[in-house]
Amino acid sequence: NNPECTDQVDEMMNELEQDFADIPGIFEGLGKEKDVPLYPGCTSHTKMKAVFKLFNLKAKNGWSDKSFTSLLELLKEMLPEKNELPDSTYKAKKLLCPLSMEFERIPACPRDCVLFRGKYKDLHKCPKCNASRYRPKGDEIESTKGAAAKVAWYLPIIPWFRRLFSNPRDAKLLRWHAECRKDDGMLRHPADCPEWRSIDRTYPDFGSEPRNLRIGLCTDGMNPYGNMSSRHSTWPVLL
């Protein structure tokens, strides 16, 4: 029985209760799953806690969905009868689905010119290069409907921030620059650089709140975390 994992489950459940305040039916169903024993008489693990811990192992060890399903099937056979462990990766993911971050799939130009959203939402062709937004079907040269040729996955940043601050340990780390950083003029952290102080001077209300998070973009070929190799193109990162 891992106390740290138990704390993580409880923290996530508390956060979900807030996230689903406007749709209580979803959280009510999730709450029932949280309290279901893994098998009759089990006091150490609930159904959700067991799946949560197994998924942690899956992620840490890079197990494929196929191998994870095989493990679940074996464990279900080994556990006492009438156990509640899912016997497939699909069923396990379905159980934890409300715990995942929300996302948005946005059709994109196959040549990366634009995203088909906002003023481009109803277009069938890219306004820059005239490429079709749809994947060709069979011998069709051009299609006006169907699956998108390319899709961008967008993770809304506000729910991400809420998840970070819902965990006391992560929340403390996010305030570290203001509460624990050694301020002796040496450059050890982005908070030590002139640009950080410039933001504080330009936006004093923002800078005075240590919980405000600063978003920055890394230029191509530059990695602020030590490896200055130019072999990789760097995407936007959270500083």
Side-chain angles (χ1 to χ4, degrees):
N1 189 7
N2 188 334
E4 182 177 352
C5 185
T6 302
D7 292 343
Q8 291 175 342
V9 174
D10 291 340
E11 288 164 5
M12 295 180 77
M13 295 301 297
N14 290 336
E15 178 199 346
L16 285 168
E17 188 171 9
Q18 297 176 5
D19 289 347
F20 296 140
D22 296 331
I23 42 177
I26 293 179
F27 182 78
E28 182 180 353
L30 188 61
K32 291 179 180 178
E33 297 287 359
K34 172 178 176 285
D35 297 326
V36 173
L38 180 59
Y39 55 84
C42 179
T43 58
S44 61
H45 285 76
T46 62
K47 176 181 179 180
M48 177 166 288
K49 179 180 174 183
V51 173
F52 184 80
K53 293 175 73 172
L54 287 169
F55 258 111
N56 274 345
L57 289 175
K58 179 183 187 299
K60 289 178 180 179
N61 295 283
W63 297 342
S64 66
D65 285 358
K66 183 178 180 180
S67 64
F68 191 58
T69 292
S70 298
L71 173 65
L72 291 175
E73 290 174 345
L74 177 60
L75 290 176
K76 191 169 183 66
E77 290 181 5
M78 297 172 65
L79 289 171
E81 292 185 4
K82 298 183 179 179
N83 69 78
E84 297 289 339
L85 187 71
D87 58 3
S88 70
T89 301
Y90 170 77
K91 292 179 181 179
K93 286 183 176 181
K94 189 175 181 181
L95 174 66
L96 297 183
C97 185
L99 297 174
S100 64
M101 293 292 292
E102 62 183 89
F103 62 89
E104 180 181 352
R105 299 174 77 248
I106 306 173
C109 168
R111 298 175 183 170
D112 300 325
C113 300
V114 300
L115 296 176
F116 291 102
R117 65 190 303 245
K119 64 180 180 179
Y120 302 138
K121 181 179 179 180
D122 298 322
L123 296 183
H124 299 294
K125 295 182 179 180
C126 173
K128 306 293 184 182
C129 69
N130 209 39
S132 173
R133 70 183 282 178
Y134 303 106
R135 186 182 304 164
K137 295 180 180 179
D139 297 331
E140 290 183 356
I141 299 177
E142 188 175 293
S143 178
T144 57
K145 62 180 180 178
K150 182 175 261 189
V151 175
W153 291 67
Y154 169 63
L155 299 175
I157 200 167
I158 298 302
W160 180 20
F161 287 171
R162 289 182 63 186
R163 293 288 174 95
L164 288 173
F165 278 107
S166 70
N167 186 315
R169 293 185 297 274
D170 290 339
K172 183 178 180 180
L173 291 175
L174 292 170
R175 302 190 307 270
W176 178 90
H177 67 90
E179 300 174 355
C180 304
R181 177 174 59 92
K182 186 176 181 179
D183 189 3
D184 59 0
M186 302 295 290
L187 184 61
R188 299 187 180 90
H189 184 271
D192 298 321
C193 67
E195 290 77 12
W196 189 290
R197 294 191 292 272
S198 176
I199 291 177
D200 289 345
R201 290 192 297 269
T202 306
Y203 307 100
D205 291 340
F206 179 89
S208 63
E209 172 52 70
R211 292 174 297 179
N212 286 335
L213 303 183
R214 300 156 196 253
I215 304 299
L217 298 179
C218 294
T219 59
D220 273 1
M222 178 179 177
N223 184 339
Y225 300 106
N227 180 6
M228 304 305 288
S229 170
S230 60
R231 292 176 298 171
H232 306 287
S233 177
T234 308
W235 286 82
V237 299
L238 175 67
L239 296 181

